[in-house]
Amino acid sequence: QSALTQPASVSGSPGQSIAISCTGTSSDVGGSSHVSWYQQHPGKAPKFMIYDVTNRPSGVSDRFSGSKSGNTASLTISGLRPEDEADYYCSSYTSSSTLVFGTGTKVTVL
Amino acid sequence: QVQLVESGGGVVQPGRSLRLSCAASGFSFGAYGMHWVRQAPGKGLEWVAVISDDGSKKYYADSVKGRFTISRDNSKDTLYLQAISLRAEDTAVYYCARDRGWLTPETYWGQGTLVIVSS
């Protein structure tokens, strides 16, 4: 149950688009359609942003989108805003019927 | 509205035990699986365990298997995590979260309860 690999940090200017990668194996990301993404601001509980690779829960901005290719999933944030500055985590269902989170990515809005 | 409220955290000595609770309200608790997720200070999220809606299925992270037990009482709308043989590395904020299916913690999370394992 090794954590999924994410870049430690990603940055962008307001209005730009950024992408965060989440790399696993064929036992998790590559073999699962149940990849999710969470946003976490300091001192707060995580916020559910994307589920089943591409789906947005009700109320989540359409500036957030998800995709997957092989063993790597990605979260794209379009039209970057100051309030998007936060930590982001991916997660995946695994072939062992467990859940694994990514290492986390700090997004900075320049 | 949906609410999840954790309790039971605190300072505990290494090797001792602790039971965390998560009180649910605003939804049909017995219709949903539930998760425990933890976060060590300054670190990332770590999935701990999940329990099915009726309590018949339970799955654990390797790091806690054999030491932690997830359970629920649907008559009391409450989720539990019994932790024994606690270690310093179990120090974390523990969150409960509702499952949307396929082991996906969804929109509803508690505010977390802090467990500090220290002598």
Side-chain angles (χ1 to χ4, degrees):
Chain A
Q1 290 181 347
S2 298
L4 307 175
T5 301
Q6 298 181 232
S9 62
V10 173
S11 62
S13 299
Q16 286 187 329
S17 294
I18 62 170
I20 303 168
S21 61
C22 169
T23 301
T25 68
S26 58
S27 296
D28 38 64
V29 176
S32 175
S33 56
H34 305 294
V35 177
S36 300
W37 289 89
Y38 301 86
Q39 176 194 65
Q40 188 180 34
H41 287 106
K44 301 293 188 182
K47 178 182 178 181
F48 188 44
M49 303 298 287
I50 295 285
Y51 68 95
D52 292 350
V53 179
T54 62
N55 296 292
R56 279 187 307 276
S58 175
V60 172
S61 171
D62 60 4
R63 297 186 300 106
F64 293 85
S65 61
S67 62
K68 191 184 86 165
S69 178
N71 294 340
T72 299
S74 297
L75 174 71
T76 299
I77 308 175
S78 304
L80 200 60
R81 296 179 179 176
E83 59 263 36
D84 299 333
E85 187 161 294
D87 294 325
Y88 291 81
Y89 297 90
C90 59
S91 72
S92 175
Y93 178 81
T94 80
S95 59
S96 304
S97 295
T98 61
L99 184 73
V100 61
F101 279 100
T103 50
T105 298
K106 181 176 181 60
V107 168
T108 301
V109 181
L110 301 171
Chain B
Q1 72 281 20
V2 173
Q3 272 199 311
L4 297 170
V5 180
E6 302 94 338
S7 61
V11 180
V12 59
Q13 293 179 328
R16 302 298 290 263
S17 302
L18 197 67
R19 189 178 81 159
L20 304 181
S21 299
C22 168
S25 60
F27 67 102
S28 297
F29 180 71
Y32 290 88
M34 296 293 296
H35 295 264
W36 286 102
V37 176
R38 69 184 181 182
Q39 187 169 33
K43 302 297 184 183
L45 299 175
E46 181 187 14
W47 178 76
V48 173
V50 65
I51 187 168
S52 61
D53 53 1
D54 63 357
S56 63
K57 298 184 183 69
K58 305 173 185 181
Y59 299 99
Y60 298 91
D62 287 345
S63 58
V64 305
K65 200 175 294 183
R67 299 189 301 121
F68 287 18
T69 301
I70 189 171
S71 63
R72 64 191 299 160
D73 186 338
N74 287 348
S75 69
K76 296 182 178 179
D77 291 347
T78 303
L79 173 73
Y80 302 102
L81 185 69
Q82 178 73 47
I84 66 171
S85 303
L86 283 161
R87 307 166 179 166
E89 54 265 36
D90 296 317
T91 293
V93 173
Y94 286 74
Y95 295 100
C96 60
R98 197 172 84 173
D99 182 64
R100 73 168 305 278
W102 291 101
L103 271 65
T104 300
E106 54 147 328
T107 301
Y108 304 105
W109 293 62
Q111 83 288 350
T113 187
L114 176 61
V115 173
I116 298 173
V117 183
S118 173
S119 54

